[in-house]
């Protein structure tokens, strides 16, 4: 769930006025907003540019690394220090740490992931900023949702993947369209459903694969059914 932590760290910096969502960052023509929303045009894991900003939803680890580098030009220090000071320590996530890339280097226990879910249900960020972060950025943009194929549109917020009407999807049929979150290659996911008032954190010992598309939605639906019973 590294990208959720990185996105929240960046949003805290925006909330504090250290950076602006619409200032230039990353490749030419791109902004902080583009990088958060995976619409900067940067390729998945290297610096080549595959599209003009705002045209395609290209899921990009490299884009998040560029985003972290840009924020550090305003805050100084390391991104691990910034994440700890801005997110991990305030939320009591003492078992989580960033050991590498701001796109994929965080490690921690499921109890900390649950704390992140609790924060996203009742966020400390300014309400208007959190509302913007969980609203579609660049509506109508298509792209590939990793592991679930091309989605048209492939809706995304500011670092948060949005369920909306996507199919297939890793959340359940019972999840509301306003559900947001992320999943990771380590077999981990976190979704937050504001309509249900519920967050679900899942950590497994099996890397993401075809099994996830079957098991995760079923788990999500079972939890929501139990919650509403």
């Amino acid at each position: 769930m590294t990208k959720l932590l990185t996105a929240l760290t960046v949003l805290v910096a925006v909330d504090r006025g250290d950076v602006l969502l619409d200032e230039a960052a990353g490749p030419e023509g791109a902004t902080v907003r583009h990088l958060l929303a995976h619409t900067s045009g940067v390729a998945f894991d290297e610096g080549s540019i595959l599209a003009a900003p705002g045209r395609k939803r290209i899921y990009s680890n490299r884009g998040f690394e560029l985003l972290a580098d840009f924020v550090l030009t305003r805050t100084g220090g390391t991104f691990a220090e910034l994440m700890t000071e801005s997110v991990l320590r305030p939320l009591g996530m003492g078992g989580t740490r960033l050991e590498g890339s701001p796109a994929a280097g965080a490690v921690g226990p499921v109890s900390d992931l649950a704390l992140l879910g609790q924060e996203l249900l009742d966020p400390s960020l300014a309400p208007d900023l959190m509302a913007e972060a969980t609203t579609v950025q660049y509506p109508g943009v298509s792209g590939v949702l990793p592991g679930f194929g091309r989605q048209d549109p492939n809706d995304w917020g500011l670092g948060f993947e949005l369920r909306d009407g996507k199919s297939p999807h890793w959340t359940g049929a019972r999840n509301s369209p306003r559900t947001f979150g992320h999943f990771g290659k380590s077999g981990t996911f976190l979704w937050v459903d504001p309509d249900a008032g519920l967050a679900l954190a899942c950590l497994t010992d099996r890397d993401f694969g075809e099994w996830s598309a079957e098991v995760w939605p079923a788990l999500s639906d079972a939890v929501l059914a139990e919650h509403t019973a």
Side-chain angles (χ1 to χ4, degrees):
M1 297 298 95
T2 307
K3 288 188 182 68
L4 288 185
L5 292 171
T6 293
L8 193 53
T9 301
V10 174
L11 291 171
V12 170
V14 171
D15 206 10
R16 293 174 176 173
D18 294 328
V19 297
L20 302 175
L21 286 173
D22 293 315
E23 64 179 312
E28 184 177 357
T31 64
V32 170
R33 187 187 301 274
H34 285 116
L35 291 167
L36 279 168
H38 295 285
T39 56
S40 69
V42 177
F44 172 68
D45 59 359
E46 40 98 3
S48 62
I49 307 302
L50 303 181
R55 299 292 181 85
K56 292 184 179 180
R57 196 82 64 185
I58 301 171
Y59 185 78
S60 178
N61 280 355
R62 183 58 186 148
F64 262 60
E65 292 168 349
L66 293 172
L67 176 64
D69 289 344
F70 175 77
V71 173
L72 292 181
T73 66
R74 304 298 175 80
T75 63
T78 69
F79 201 79
E81 292 168 340
L82 183 62
M83 182 183 289
T84 298
E85 183 267 332
S86 300
V87 176
L88 302 180
R89 188 176 295 127
L91 299 187
M93 297 175 64
T96 300
R97 59 195 182 277
L98 182 63
E99 294 186 338
S101 168
V107 295
V110 70
S111 55
D112 278 9
L113 192 59
L115 289 173
L116 178 60
Q118 186 176 30
E119 163 65 16
L120 295 175
L121 273 175
D122 185 18
S124 304
L125 282 176
D128 58 342
L129 180 57
M130 189 63 197
E132 187 171 9
T134 54
T135 299
V136 181
Q137 305 294 307
Y138 309 101
V141 174
S142 64
V144 174
L145 179 62
F148 292 88
R150 183 177 177 80
Q151 305 279 342
D152 191 4
N154 186 14
D155 289 337
W156 218 281
L158 296 174
F160 301 104
E161 197 252 311
L162 309 181
R163 190 192 197 289
D164 284 355
K166 291 173 181 169
S167 181
H169 199 255
W170 53 276
T171 63
R174 290 176 174 266
N175 280 96
S176 76
R178 293 208 301 145
T179 301
F180 63 90
H182 216 295
F183 66 88
K185 64 180 181 180
S186 61
T188 307
F189 72 74
L190 173 67
W191 57 245
V192 177
D193 189 334
D195 290 356
L198 190 70
L200 177 60
C202 177
L203 178 63
T204 77
D205 59 359
R206 187 177 180 184
D207 286 349
F208 173 81
E210 292 183 2
W211 66 273
S212 310
E214 177 181 352
V215 174
W216 288 356
L219 172 62
S220 298
D221 282 338
V223 168
L224 283 164
E226 179 73 18
H227 179 65
T228 57

